[in-house]
Amino acid sequence: ATYADIAAGYTFRRSEHARISESLAERPIAVLLGSGGVGKTTLARQVLLDLGNGVDAAWEHTNAFTLRADYWIEYEKRLREFGKRAVLLVDDCVDNLSQVSQIADHLGKENAPALRMVLTATTGKWQQRSKSRYVFSHGNAFTLSRLSRDDINELLRLTALAAIRELVEPSFLNLPPGEQFRILRERC
């Protein structure tokens, strides 16, 4: 989902959201893992938007550009120097793992780093690659898979929005709520 979709309320909040936000208050790195299409990017963007209210800047790296660890390390130093804080989202970070690891090395060596990183990756690609030890010692990994009961209930609440109802098959909308829940539980 886009940032605009999230801000408009067209997404639901996953149950892991609070745990990720709490983790980033304590540790500078959070890694969201899972298969493609499970909602890693949307959840990461939701966390980024929420953190954006408590930091001075929030950024998302796009793979259309080169991730330069030296720039982000220098940026973190300046943030600290001026008493500021920021968060960086690196979606599908495996493509930039060498640079991400350099940033993680820097953050892991700082007592109170001013930059937080939210990383997303598919589980298979993540497991195959070597990473900075600081990703593990100064971060937490969260694996997304099937939706929880609360997630499904949140998803079903979205169907009350006219803009979302238009996207849902009428045959599904006409089912009793318990049957809708059962179907989503089987598929999600």
Side-chain angles (χ1 to χ4, degrees), residues 122-157:
T122 57
T123 307
K125 287 182 181 180
W126 178 259
Q127 291 173 340
Q128 295 172 2
R129 305 279 304 270
S130 61
K131 294 145 291 273
S132 164
R133 65 185 173 101
Y134 291 107
V135 170
F136 303 103
S137 65
H138 288 72
N140 286 315
F142 302 88
T143 301
L144 303 181
S145 58
R146 297 183 61 87
L147 297 179
S148 71
R149 295 181 71 82
D150 291 339
D151 294 340
I152 293 172
N153 285 325
E154 288 296 314
L155 180 57
L156 287 170
R157 275 193 265 285

Side-chain angles (χ1 to χ4, degrees), residues 38-65:
V38 77
K40 300 177 299 291
T41 302
T42 297
L43 179 56
R45 287 177 175 165
Q46 289 171 331
V47 168
L48 195 70
L49 280 173
D50 286 352
L51 290 176
N53 295 327
V55 296
D56 298 291
W59 305 92
E60 179 176 348
H61 170 74
T62 175
N63 284 335
F65 300 96

Side-chain angles (χ1 to χ4, degrees), residues 5-157:
D5 290 339
I6 295 166
Y10 295 153
T11 61
F12 65 97
R13 185 167 286 204
R14 297 282 296 258
S15 52
E16 291 90 348
H17 186 283
R19 288 183 34 234
I20 295 165
S21 295
E22 290 167 8
S23 170
L24 285 165
E26 301 293 321
R27 299 176 136 201
I29 303 167
V31 184
L32 282 60
L33 301 168
S35 59
V38 77
K40 300 177 299 291
T41 302
T42 297
L43 179 56
R45 287 177 175 165
Q46 289 171 331
V47 168
L48 195 70
L49 280 173
D50 286 352
L51 290 176
N53 295 327
V55 296
D56 298 291
W59 305 92
E60 179 176 348
H61 170 74
T62 175
N63 284 335
F65 300 96
T66 302
L67 180 65
R68 297 278 310 265
D70 54 335
Y71 290 174
W72 286 103
I73 292 167
E74 183 60 32
Y75 179 61
E76 189 281 330
K77 290 176 183 176
R78 290 187 183 187
L79 286 169
R80 246 182 313 115
E81 179 183 340
F82 292 105
K84 307 263 184 195
R85 296 180 26 189
V87 61
L88 168 64
L89 165 58
V90 183
D91 193 26
D92 200 12
C93 73
V94 174
D95 294 339
N96 295 289
L97 208 46
S98 173
Q99 298 296 306
V100 165
S101 289
Q102 288 179 42
I103 299 168
D105 285 346
H106 170 77
L107 297 178
K109 293 174 185 171
E110 293 302 323
N111 189 28
L115 180 67
R116 298 286 190 249
M117 273 199 312
V118 178
L119 310 172
T120 71
T122 57
T123 307
K125 287 182 181 180
W126 178 259
Q127 291 173 340
Q128 295 172 2
R129 305 279 304 270
S130 61
K131 294 145 291 273
S132 164
R133 65 185 173 101
Y134 291 107
V135 170
F136 303 103
S137 65
H138 288 72
N140 286 315
F142 302 88
T143 301
L144 303 181
S145 58
R146 297 183 61 87
L147 297 179
S148 71
R149 295 181 71 82
D150 291 339
D151 294 340
I152 293 172
N153 285 325
E154 288 296 314
L155 180 57
L156 287 170
R157 275 193 265 285

